[in-house]
Structures are given as C-alpha cells and as structure tokens.
Amino acid sequence: MLKRLMRDHQHIAMLLDILTNKNARLVEGEAVNFSVIRDIVEYMQSYAEHSHHPLEDITYHYYANKVGVPDSEQLHHEHDKLAQVSGSLMYSLNMILSDIVISKEKLVNDLASYISLQVAHMQFEEKEVFPHFANSLDSDDWQIIERQCQEKLVDDPLFSENDNVIFEDLKNYIAREDKGIKV
C-alpha cells in the first residue's frame, strides 16, 4: 500500500510538472491547451481526492491508533484545502472552456496556488507521514489497512493498464510529452 501511495505521488508530480509548464506559458502570454489543464485537475479530483487521499487518511488513522498518537489534523486539513482549491480552479477552467472570459491573472494565480499547495502537501507526506508508516507498520498491518481501504481502492484511471478511456486524451498528451512533442 505504501508503494502505491508513493507511486501515486510520482504520477501526481509528473502532472504538476505539466501544470507548471502550462502556467509558465500562460504568464508569457502563450496559448495553452486548457482542456489538458482541466483534465489534469479533473483527474486529481476524481482519483486523488476520492481514492488516494482517503487511503492516506485510513492508513494514518490506523497508524495513529496503533502507536497511540493523535490523528493528524494537518493531513485532514490539507486534503480538505486541496479539494476546495481544485474545485475553484475547475470552475475557472470550465468557464474558460465555455468561452466565458476570466482574467489571466486570476487563472495564473489560482493555478500557481494549486500547484504550490499540491507540492507542499506531497513533501509533508513524504517527509513527515510516510516514514512513520514505513517504520511502524508491518505486513500484517498493511493487510488490515488494505481490507479497510477496499471501498476506496480503485484502479488509477490514468496510469493503470486497464481499458478505461476516461482520460484517453490526457494519456495521449503525456505520451507525446514523453517523446518530446510539445503541445
């Protein structure tokens, strides 16, 4: 389970790099593909917020009970804040894609804030949370956690090898990016 959480972070970091590049292009006044930005934020809402973060919450709750520490208010607060910020950003992106004008500055600032929050959140987890999991939880604990997570445990709709076509355009975009084709 911890490997899965870390793999998710690697995937999210890749997507945040794409968003950072798009935001830099926006700042420079260049045209960007807003559908790609929206697809990334939609992926983060549908997968990270509804599967990845709940897995982290369940795991932390189990860890906290096992070692006798309070549940992490910071972890829960950051997950809630990320959901709020992504919802606001998604609203702006949908407005743009519906040909409703919003200020470039608002979008640039909202996107930069979103990226910054995501990066800081992952750094907090990787430096402060995940090491506690690795040091305190054994294979029996992980089996129990996996059973507790079954309801939230879904295949990654973007980075798994299933036949899911929900994010097919984004998958194709990432594949082109990996080949050095800028879109």
Side-chain angles (χ1 to χ4, degrees), residues 22-32 34 37 89 92-93 96 100-113:
K22 296 290 185 194
N23 206 37
R25 290 176 61 190
L26 276 172
V27 168
E28 296 298 320
E30 296 179 29
V32 297
F34 289 106
I37 297 171
L89 181 57
S92 295
L93 292 166
I96 291 168
I100 297 171
V101 177
I102 67 164
S103 79
K104 179 177 107 173
E105 292 79 24
K106 176 179 175 19
L107 181 61
V108 164
N109 291 336
D110 287 353
L111 193 51
S113 293

Side-chain angles (χ1 to χ4, degrees), residues 2 7 9 23 28 31 126 137 145-146 156-157 168 172:
L2 185 56
R7 186 177 58 246
H9 277 206
N23 206 37
E28 296 298 320
E126 290 173 12
L137 303 175
I145 291 166
E146 188 167 343
D156 185 320
E168 184 138 350
N172 292 334

Side-chain angles (χ1 to χ4, degrees), residues 56-164:
E56 291 171 336
D57 290 338
I58 291 166
T59 304
Y60 195 92
H61 181 73
Y62 180 92
Y63 157 79
N65 283 337
K66 178 179 178 172
V67 300
V69 298
D71 235 336
S72 175
E73 292 297 319
Q74 181 177 350
L75 186 65
H76 298 300
H77 172 74
E78 288 184 9
H79 288 167
D80 290 344
K81 179 71 174 169
L82 287 168
Q84 291 170 3
V85 172
S86 70
S88 175
L89 181 57
M90 182 60 86
Y91 178 80
S92 295
L93 292 166
N94 284 332
M95 298 281 280
I96 291 168
L97 290 167
S98 297
D99 293 326
I100 297 171
V101 177
I102 67 164
S103 79
K104 179 177 107 173
E105 292 79 24
K106 176 179 175 19
L107 181 61
V108 164
N109 291 336
D110 287 353
L111 193 51
S113 293
Y114 178 76
I115 295 165
S116 177
L117 282 170
Q118 287 284 1
V119 168
H121 174 68
M122 288 194 312
Q123 288 173 344
F124 163 68
E125 289 177 335
E126 290 173 12
K127 290 182 169 111
E128 303 293 327
V129 177
F130 291 176
H132 290 299
F133 294 169
N135 293 330
S136 302
L137 303 175
D138 60 28
S139 61
D140 291 337
D141 294 322
W142 287 112
Q143 287 177 0
I144 293 167
I145 291 166
E146 188 167 343
R147 282 194 300 274
Q148 291 177 355
C149 291
Q150 281 307 309
E151 187 175 307
K152 296 291 183 181
L153 203 58
V154 298
D155 284 339
D156 185 320
L158 180 59
F159 293 101
S160 63
E161 296 297 322
N162 62 23
D163 291 331
N164 194 342

